[in-house]
């Protein structure tokens, strides 16, 4: 259920509705928008009695929600969410670029790549310290040591650190060293981890599962918002299909599809979609053209020696070229404010 308050509803009227929801044993999520306040109700198993709210003073309407998600919707928050990562943002006017190696391999590697990322004007540095590898014998990441290296990258270049947590203990560590917690494709339905990052003070980058539907992705985000953290960025990183020419199939249609339902920003990961460096830049261009709020891209100073995902890593020069191209596209499609 969603209670939409009148545009001129007073704080007292809003508080009264919230207290009635709580008295009924449910959770109230008031959303104070630019033009009106809406209050989502969660925690109910069956239908909530509409008549309880319809005649309360300040209430414009009580809407039954038929979709399984409540907090990620434009019905609750019609304005797009801007996710703040310190003094940087994702979902605002600027195209967000998150770049770095798949895995942090050494201090020298991380600092070399970070220098190129910083020089490109990007605000975010990515790098895995805990790697979800298909094989238990593959390089699993440097763990806390990798996080310490990324904390140094932040100190040296001022870049915001985006890094994956594989489990709840990992989330504790990412909170200590990082700026944004990445939930990987393989963890998109790890519900206890989603709940854990929903209680974090850090923003979350939520990647689409390998075979997740749009609804499953949005419900994964709903888990995080339901715990109180609305700083969530969605990420399309390609899904499993029958194609053999790419590692995954980049589903660009999900960007306008998300826009029509949710206020959450969405970015594109052309690297894990392509699996091959030669396809990363064309897919990045397409992602920006279709309206993504940003990109997350894998870059390596020596892709041929990378310990993970080397085939899809851009060289520093290729990365530089990508940034120039996607910025031009973003500028071309951004409406100019009429003064
Ligand atoms: C990654 O970003 O390196 C990664 C493992 O991504 P995904 O979870 O999308 O496979
Ligand atoms: Mn990777």
């Amino acid at each position: 259920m969603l209670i939409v308050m009148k545009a001129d509803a007073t704080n007292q009227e809003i508080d009264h509705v919230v207290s009635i929801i709580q008295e009924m044993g449910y959770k109230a999520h008031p959303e104070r928008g630019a033009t009106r306040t809406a209050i989502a109700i969660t925690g109910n198993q069956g239908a909530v009695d509409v008549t309880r709210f319809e005649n309360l003073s300040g209430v414009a309407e009580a809407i039954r929600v038929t979709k399984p998600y409540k907090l990620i919707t434009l019905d609750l928050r019609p304005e797009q969410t801007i996710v703040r990562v310190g003094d940087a943002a994702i979902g605002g006017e600027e195209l967000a670029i998150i770049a770095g190696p798949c895995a942090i391999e050494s201090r020298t590697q991380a600092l070399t790549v970070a220098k190129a990322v910083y020089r490109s004007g990007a605000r975010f540095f990515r790098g895995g310290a805990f790697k979800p590898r298909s094989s238990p014998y593959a390089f699993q990441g440097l763990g806390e040591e990798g996080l310490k290296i990324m904390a140094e990258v932040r100190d040296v270049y001022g870049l915001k650190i985006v890094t994956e947590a594989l489990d709840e203990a990992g989330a504790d560590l990412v909170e200590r060293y990082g700026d944004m917690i990445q939930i990987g494709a393989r963890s998109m339905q790890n519900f206890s981890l989603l709940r854990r990052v929903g209680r974090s003070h850090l923003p979350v980058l939520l990647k689409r599962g390998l075979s997740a539907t749009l609804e499953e992705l949005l419900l994964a985000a709903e888990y995080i918002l339901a715990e109180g953290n609305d700083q969530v960025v969605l990420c399309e990183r390609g899904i499993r299909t029958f194609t053999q020419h790419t590692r995954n199939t980049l589903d660009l249609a999900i960007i306008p599809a998300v826009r029509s339902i949710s206020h959450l920003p969405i970015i594109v990961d052309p690297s894990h979609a392509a699996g091959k460096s030669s396809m990363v830049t064309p897919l990045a261009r397409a992602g920006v053209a279709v309206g993504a709020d940003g990109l997350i891209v894998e870059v390596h100073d020596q892709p041929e020696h990378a310990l993970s995902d080397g085939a899809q890593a851009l060289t520093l020069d290729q990365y530089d070229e990508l940034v120039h191209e996607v910025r031009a596209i973003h500028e071309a499609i951004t409406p100019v404010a009429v003064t």
Side-chain angles (χ1 to χ4, degrees):
M1 165 108 36
L2 187 68
I3 314 290
V4 180
M5 304 297 294
K6 290 179 181 157
D8 61 356
T10 64
N11 282 338
Q12 225 175 354
E13 287 167 334
I14 294 167
D15 291 347
H16 183 56
V17 173
V18 167
S19 67
I20 289 184
I21 293 168
Q22 289 166 345
E23 271 166 31
M24 292 166 90
Y26 308 140
K27 199 166 167 184
H29 304 260
E31 181 65 39
R32 290 163 203 268
T35 53
R36 49 92 160 139
T37 291
I39 307 167
I41 303 176
T42 62
N44 54 303
Q45 295 303 332
V48 178
D49 182 9
V50 180
T51 57
R52 193 81 177 76
F53 298 97
E54 273 170 346
N55 299 320
L56 292 178
S57 98
V59 171
E61 57 178 334
I63 307 167
R64 227 175 232 128
V65 178
T66 49
K67 293 277 182 336
Y69 29 70
K70 302 177 180 188
L71 306 178
I72 58 98
T73 65
L74 290 166
D75 299 327
L76 178 64
R77 184 186 296 178
E79 305 89 22
Q80 184 171 313
T81 293
I82 299 177
V83 170
R84 308 271 173 200
V85 190
D87 63 352
I90 304 176
E93 276 171 23
E94 209 178 304
L95 182 72
I97 296 178
I98 305 171
C102 178
I104 300 300
E105 299 167 8
S106 70
R107 185 172 171 274
T108 309
Q109 172 241 21
L111 286 166
T112 305
V113 177
K115 187 174 185 178
V117 173
Y118 168 74
R119 286 189 168 169
S120 75
R123 303 295 314 276
F124 303 88
F125 182 76
R126 62 147 292 147
F130 302 100
K131 295 305 302 176
R133 305 305 302 279
S134 299
S135 164
Y137 309 118
F139 176 59
Q140 305 284 311
L142 296 180
E144 188 167 358
E145 184 52 34
L147 293 175
K148 287 183 182 166
I149 292 171
M150 282 185 278
E152 188 178 344
V153 162
R154 180 186 36 225
D155 290 347
V156 174
Y157 292 110
L159 294 164
K160 310 296 176 202
I161 304 303
V162 182
T163 190
E164 179 165 356
L166 287 178
D167 48 32
E168 285 144 274
D172 294 345
L173 285 169
V174 173
E175 281 177 343
R176 196 173 316 153
Y177 299 101
D179 300 299
M180 184 170 202
I181 309 178
Q182 180 174 325
I183 299 297
R186 291 154 193 82
S187 301
M188 193 206 81
Q189 286 192 316
N190 180 340
F191 300 115
S192 54
L193 182 59
L194 295 175
R195 285 210 163 96
R196 167 65 185 79
V197 299
R199 294 190 295 272
S200 180
H201 64 279
L202 289 188
V204 177
L205 176 62
L206 177 64
K207 298 188 94 178
R208 182 182 184 183
L210 273 69
S211 59
T213 62
L214 167 62
E215 184 165 301
E216 287 164 342
L217 172 64
L218 294 174
L219 284 171
E222 184 83 14
Y223 264 91
I224 301 171
L225 269 71
E227 292 295 324
N229 187 354
D230 71 346
Q231 297 290 286
V232 176
V233 176
L234 306 172
C235 178
E236 164 59 31
R237 46 78 74 206
I239 48 169
R240 278 275 165 86
T241 68
F242 52 82
T243 59
Q244 294 174 321
H245 53 279
T246 50
R247 184 178 178 186
N248 293 287
T249 297
L250 187 62
D251 174 20
L252 289 176
I254 202 167
I255 286 122
V258 164
R259 292 268 187 260
S260 68
I261 301 172
S262 179
H263 53 80
L264 295 176
I266 179 163
I267 67 169
V268 163
D269 174 346
S271 306
H272 291 86
K276 293 175 191 152
S277 61
S278 63
M279 291 186 178
V280 170
T281 301
L283 293 182
R285 288 191 211 114
V288 173
V290 84
D293 294 294
L295 296 171
I296 178 166
V297 187
E298 289 189 346
V299 189
H300 202 289
D301 57 326
Q302 294 177 293
E304 65 284 6
H305 293 126
L307 296 181
S308 67
D309 285 351
Q312 68 198 33
L314 296 181
T315 62
L316 304 186
D317 285 347
Q318 288 168 337
Y319 164 70
D320 234 31
E321 178 59 28
L322 174 147
V323 172
H324 278 105
E325 292 184 17
V326 297
R327 286 237 170 88
I329 294 169
H330 185 252
E331 214 166 288
I333 64 167
T334 304
V336 182
V338 183
T339 50

